Amino acid sequence: MAAVTSLSFTALGHSSERKVSSASSTRSLGFGEGFRFRSNFSYESVCVRSSSSSSRMVVQCMSTVDAPTVSETKYNFLKAYKKPIPSIYNTVLQELIVQQHLMRYKRTYRYDAVFALGFVTVYDQLMEGYPSDEDRNAIFQAYVKALNEDPEQYRKDAQKLEDWARTQNASLLIEFKSREGEVEGILKDIAERAGGNGSFSYSRFFAVGLFRLLELANASEPSYLEKLCSSLNINKRSVDRDLDVYRNLLSKLVQAKELLREYVDREKKKREERAESQSQKANEAVKNCLGEYQSV
């Protein structure tokens, strides 16, 4: 199998955000370049919910305090989860949390369930095959809490959208505006904000969330994605580009994990061979000692 060299992915950040100065380079499964950040800016974030109807949820919060620095967010993650993480996972997680920090503290950021579904999908794909299910969940908890968000809300909203999408077909999914319901209300709110009537910050997590909805509704035709983007007032070209990056990421991760498994198997075999060799030498030494004793 060909070796995995470098995976460049500007890790699920905002597609239209401006480039920032590179502070360091990343190697191996890298998700983009290092960044230099300012620590003294204000932000809008999510912490209050209001509702104009029983089926439509609007989430909004404003803050006048300074956002934490990237270093503080990373420190909070490492403080909450102190066990060592295998490098193939840790490298990607560290770069993801930097990128999500940038998204989280943008002025236009507003949490929504499609974004949550996208992040949960990416996280679960990334951590597939992790040695411990308990640790995988603990890492998820530490990661989201480090961003001052609620991991349970992420999981709950992602599950809600998945359950809903499984009951839909392509037509029902695309025609959400003509229907009533909790998830329909969430999608209507996103469409309204993306259309210019409120704060909306597109991200690659959002693109992955859309893809997951279509996947679960068995709406695989490209035209369905185009129609859903149109209904949500989302630029389809951005979504197409970001989904290509996402698919490439998954492909590279599969290769990298396969290489890791091969390495682990080789090391295990070497240890077994060394143990067998040492056992044989020990047996020979015992036989030699017994032979010398009997000849006395």
Side-chain angles (χ1 to χ4, degrees):
M1 180 180 293
V4 176
T5 54
S6 175
L7 172 58
S8 178
F9 180 48
T10 52
L12 306 173
H14 190 290
S15 296
S16 62
E17 70 181 50
R18 62 183 179 84
K19 294 182 180 178
V20 293
S21 302
S22 173
S24 63
S25 62
T26 54
R27 295 180 182 176
S28 188
L29 285 169
F31 275 69
E33 299 177 340
F35 294 95
R36 184 179 296 117
F37 304 100
R38 292 185 303 148
S39 61
N40 57 342
F41 55 92
S42 302
Y43 67 92
E44 291 182 331
S45 62
V46 175
C47 59
V48 177
R49 292 190 196 130
S50 60
S51 178
S52 58
S53 69
S54 60
S55 64
R56 183 169 179 177
M57 181 179 70
V58 179
V59 185
Q60 187 172 12
C61 176
M62 296 183 64
S63 175
T64 57
V65 301
D66 288 345
T69 64
V70 173
S71 296
E72 288 170 336
T73 295
K74 294 179 73 173
Y75 172 75
N76 289 336
F77 170 63
L78 296 173
K79 182 173 66 173
Y81 188 82
K82 298 179 180 179
K83 294 182 182 179
I85 301 173
S87 60
I88 190 173
Y89 300 100
N90 191 48
T91 300
V92 180
L93 284 171
Q94 290 297 322
E95 295 191 36
L96 275 181
I97 203 169
V98 170
Q99 290 292 333
Q100 195 163 351
H101 174 100
L102 293 177
M103 288 184 273
R104 168 69 176 82
Y105 295 109
K106 286 177 64 107
R107 279 189 171 274
T108 56
Y109 174 77
R110 285 268 300 275
Y111 171 91
D112 65 62
V114 177
F115 175 91
L117 175 60
F119 172 74
V120 168
T121 299
V122 170
Y123 181 85
D124 288 346
Q125 290 278 358
L126 165 64
M127 301 297 285
E128 185 178 9
Y130 199 79
S132 166
D133 290 344
E134 181 179 352
D135 286 342
R136 183 168 60 238
N137 182 59
I139 292 169
F140 180 87
Q141 295 276 331
Y143 181 106
V144 178
K145 287 180 179 178
L147 293 160
N148 291 316
E149 294 195 310
D150 183 357
E152 300 303 327
Q153 189 67 45
Y154 268 74
R155 286 290 184 188
K156 178 182 176 182
D157 286 343
Q159 188 64 55
K160 180 192 303 178
L161 262 63
E162 287 186 342
D163 292 344
W164 176 82
R166 289 189 179 97
T167 67
Q168 309 299 303
N169 56 39
S171 297
L172 290 175
L173 181 60
I174 292 166
E175 296 170 359
F176 66 85
K177 287 184 177 180
S178 64
R179 300 163 54 215
E180 297 297 327
E182 183 178 10
V183 174
E184 288 85 351
I186 292 172
L187 296 178
K188 290 175 187 178
D189 176 61
I190 292 171
E192 184 176 339
R193 290 188 289 110
N197 296 320
S199 296
F200 179 78
S201 181
Y202 170 81
S203 72
R204 286 176 178 154
F205 285 133
F206 187 89
V208 175
L210 290 185
F211 176 79
R212 182 63 174 154
L213 288 176
L214 290 166
E215 181 182 44
L216 292 172
N218 295 315
S220 57
E221 291 293 327
S223 60
Y224 296 142
L225 176 59
E226 182 175 2
K227 292 176 181 178
L228 182 58
C229 287
S230 177
S231 296
L232 288 167
N233 298 312
I234 302 297
N235 187 323
K236 182 179 179 294
R237 292 179 63 184
S238 296
V239 173
D240 285 337
R241 180 185 63 245
D242 293 338
L243 290 179
D244 285 342
V245 175
Y246 172 62
R247 295 184 188 102
N248 183 60
L249 163 66
L250 295 184
S251 175
K252 295 296 185 182
L253 283 173
V254 167
Q255 294 179 50
K257 289 177 183 179
E258 181 61 30
L259 288 176
L260 178 63
R261 280 192 290 269
E262 292 175 0
Y263 170 79
V264 171
D265 290 343
R266 284 198 303 270
E267 291 300 307
K268 181 180 179 181
K269 185 176 181 180
K270 288 179 182 178
R271 287 195 299 270
E272 291 174 348
E273 290 174 349
R274 284 195 297 267
E276 184 178 354
S277 176
Q278 291 171 355
S279 177
Q280 290 176 351
K281 290 179 180 179
N283 289 335
E284 290 175 0
V286 170
K287 288 180 181 178
N288 291 336
C289 288
L290 289 175
E292 292 175 1
Y293 174 78
Q294 290 172 354
S295 63
V296 173

